[in-house]
Amino acid sequence: MSDKMHGPVPRLLTLTLLSALLASCVDGGSGGGEKAASSTSSEISNVANAGNISRPTSGAPIADAGPDQDATAGETVTFDGSASFDPDGDPLAFLWEQIDGDTISLPDDRSPGLTLIAPGVMAPNRYRFRLSVTDGASASTDTVELIVFPVLDVTPPLLVSRSPGANETGVAPGTTITVVFNEPLAASTVNAQSMSLRQSMVTVPGTVSYSAGTFSATFTPDSELDADTPFAVSLSSDITDAAGNPYAGTTWSFTTGSAFNLGPTGQGTIDACMSDADRQMLTLVNNARAQARSCGSEPHPAVSALAWHCSLEQAAAGHSTDMANNNFFSHTGSDGLNAGHRISATSYPWRAWGENIAAGYATVESAMAGWLGSPGHCSNIMNAGFTEMGAASATNPGSDYRVYWTQVFADR
């Protein structure tokens, strides 16, 4: 329970009661030689396969590993040593070995040809292999090089979700527009020029932000959107992915709903017991619950909207009237009963309840601002365990605080 404030300044109290049961890259051995110095793709070019064949004495075999090659990561590469020969026509034995670069698996290293899969790389990498041939009496060697380049991204980014959706109606005027892509974007390309919101061809002022962790962009209007109004969202081809591939661009529309955010409240309840002040109170609560916030040091995620319930409004009205007429400020009524008793008296079958009270605030907005600024009251408003609420105020000019407010939250 919050500390009471003395004097004729606005005051707040809160009370909550829950019923029971409420890919790593490892440097491999080089196989013998030292690793080649790193270099950029512009510095790497094929080297003619000449001058690196060891020339044996007459009658000895001659090794020929074939030409140097370039490949893209993931490609199958085959070196052909079948041009190796023995002047005497003797049969040859072959052995392929890697002598430079991070280790690559060589599944068949004793055939004339060597087939391997170019490894994944983030930058161009050089690998060297040696072919040794022997006729049983003498041998010779030849070396060959492989330069592996990264896979180039040529696929444009795709939009995987959007909110509000295309042609969605009844969108809350306090909404933000969020889009999610299938890959990282170049953050500098996500801005007010590439993501915009228009109403009747007039650009709506707002702020665009990008989250690298979720590949999502958000447009937050500077002020609440007009109710019952169509809007158009545009994403331009100025948006690119991290590799520079442009997004195709798209435009879609949505329409805002009522200025009130009444959540799942049924029309029967609205007609039976909700005044404009009640609609305003529920709207402020649901708008607050729609956004993640910290209540003091306790973080709260966004939670579902509440529905209004006439019985909870009845319990709230009874307590506000009691405080106003009897000039006191407490969760305990003048009859010694608490909110649980008051809710039960309306025949509402609660499983959990919470109550916020305030005094001295002249308007719904100021009372809500006070509650949201107080950790305990804020936590009641953001409590995901509540599904319904009711609220009421009462005025007595002769009382200390004149206006008394009560919010009742519950689940059944």
Side-chain angles (χ1 to χ4, degrees), residues 8 23 31 101 122 151 245 267 277 354 390:
M122 298 299 293
V151 175
N245 299 301
Q267 190 60 48

Side-chain angles (χ1 to χ4, degrees), residues 70 216 274 382:
D70 293 345
S216 61
M274 292 192 76
M382 297 300 295

Side-chain angles (χ1 to χ4, degrees), residues 38-389:
S38 61
S39 54
T40 65
S41 57
S42 63
E43 295 171 327
I44 296 177
S45 61
N46 277 328
V47 178
N49 187 31
N52 54 359
I53 300 176
S54 63
R55 299 296 179 181
T57 60
S58 177
I62 296 176
D64 186 346
D68 295 340
Q69 296 190 41
D70 293 345
T72 300
E75 286 186 339
T76 299
V77 179
T78 299
F79 293 108
D80 186 3
S82 62
S84 303
F85 70 97
D86 184 82
D88 302 324
D90 295 332
L92 297 176
F94 295 81
L95 176 63
W96 292 91
E97 301 171 279
Q98 183 180 352
I99 59 175
D100 197 11
D102 292 340
T103 301
I104 299 176
S105 176
L106 307 181
D108 187 3
D109 59 0
R110 297 183 182 275
S111 298
L114 175 65
T115 299
L116 54 86
I117 304 299
V121 295
M122 298 299 293
N125 278 327
R126 186 190 306 271
Y127 304 84
R128 295 178 65 227
F129 304 89
R130 178 172 58 215
L131 171 63
S132 300
V133 298
T134 179
D135 61 2
S138 57
S140 69
T141 62
D142 186 20
T143 59
V144 67
E145 291 188 349
L146 170 65
I147 299 173
V148 180
F149 293 91
V151 175
L152 296 179
D153 179 4
V154 295
T155 304
L158 298 176
L159 188 66
V160 295
S161 69
R162 62 185 108 186
S163 177
N167 302 315
E168 186 174 341
T169 59
V171 176
T175 191
T176 58
I177 293 85
T178 300
V179 294
V180 180
F181 289 83
N182 68 328
E183 62 173 321
L185 303 179
S188 62
T189 68
V190 184
N191 49 49
Q193 286 68 50
S194 60
M195 183 177 186
S196 61
L197 179 66
R198 291 181 174 82
Q199 175 186 345
S200 300
M201 303 307 293
V202 176
T203 299
V204 176
T207 302
V208 176
S209 59
Y210 173 65
S211 172
T214 59
F215 313 155
S216 61
T218 300
F219 177 90
T220 304
D222 288 347
S223 59
E224 191 170 274
L225 303 178
D226 291 342
D228 299 313
T229 302
F231 291 86
V233 183
S234 293
L235 302 177
S236 79
S237 58
D238 290 339
I239 296 174
T240 72
D241 63 16
N245 299 301
Y247 171 61
T250 190
T251 298
W252 76 95
S253 299
F254 66 87
T255 303
T256 53
S258 167
F260 294 118
N261 180 4
L262 306 184
T265 306
Q267 190 60 48
T269 298
I270 296 172
D271 295 339
C273 64
M274 292 192 76
S275 65
D276 281 347
D278 296 335
R279 293 182 177 93
Q280 186 179 11
M281 175 68 80
L282 182 57
T283 294
L284 292 174
V285 169
N286 283 340
N287 287 349
R289 288 170 65 92
Q291 300 181 20
R293 67 183 63 246
S294 292
C295 297
S297 60
E298 183 179 0
H300 287 269
V303 291
S304 300
L306 300 178
W308 193 266
H309 198 284
C310 296
S311 294
L312 300 180
E313 179 184 4
Q314 180 183 342
H319 191 52
S320 290
T321 300
D322 187 18
M323 289 190 293
N325 290 347
N326 293 291
N327 195 24
F328 72 94
F329 183 65
S330 171
H331 286 290
T332 302
S334 61
D335 54 5
L337 302 180
N338 64 24
H341 298 112
R342 292 187 286 272
I343 297 169
S344 295
T346 69
S347 298
Y348 182 96
W350 60 269
R351 294 190 304 173
W353 60 261
E355 182 180 75
N356 286 345
I357 61 175
Y361 293 92
T363 64
V364 175
E365 293 92 345
S366 62
M368 270 297 295
W371 281 324
L372 287 175
S374 170
H377 303 86
C378 175
S379 292
N380 267 350
I381 293 171
M382 297 300 295
N383 193 324
F386 297 142
T387 57
E388 296 177 308
M389 75 164 293

